[in-house]
Amino acid sequence: MPYDASLDVSSFKEVIDFQTTRISVGVYSYNGAPKKLQVTRENQIDGAWNFTKLGRMSKDEAQGVVPIMIKAIEAM
């Protein structure tokens, strides 16, 4: 079964910017399934935001993201 964006429901999303990268924290439920936490990174290349693997975070990024993750967990 292919992915259907209309079945993906977001109940929380917050983005934090770090110069040329931004990290999004969200809570999503696909097709009525239990809510799940999602953390993604986008890098700015030539003025456009491009999705990339999150991988590792710097200390500043982690300190910015953890409070948002706590808020997201409360929204679950």
Side-chain angles (χ1 to χ4, degrees), residues 2-57:
Y3 172 76
D4 182 353
S6 68
L7 298 175
D8 206 5
V9 177
S10 172
S11 59
F12 176 91
K13 184 172 182 183
E14 196 166 321
V15 179
I16 185 165
D17 290 308
F18 301 95
Q19 295 177 354
T20 60
T21 190
R22 64 184 179 191
I23 298 175
S24 301
V25 178
V27 175
Y28 297 89
S29 175
Y30 186 78
N31 198 20
K35 294 178 180 179
K36 294 184 180 181
L37 180 71
Q38 178 176 311
V39 183
T40 58
R41 178 190 300 275
E42 292 175 284
N43 288 330
Q44 191 172 33
I45 301 170
D46 297 328
W49 291 102
N50 297 296
F51 174 80
T52 186
K53 182 174 140 183
L54 178 61
R56 300 175 182 182
M57 286 188 273

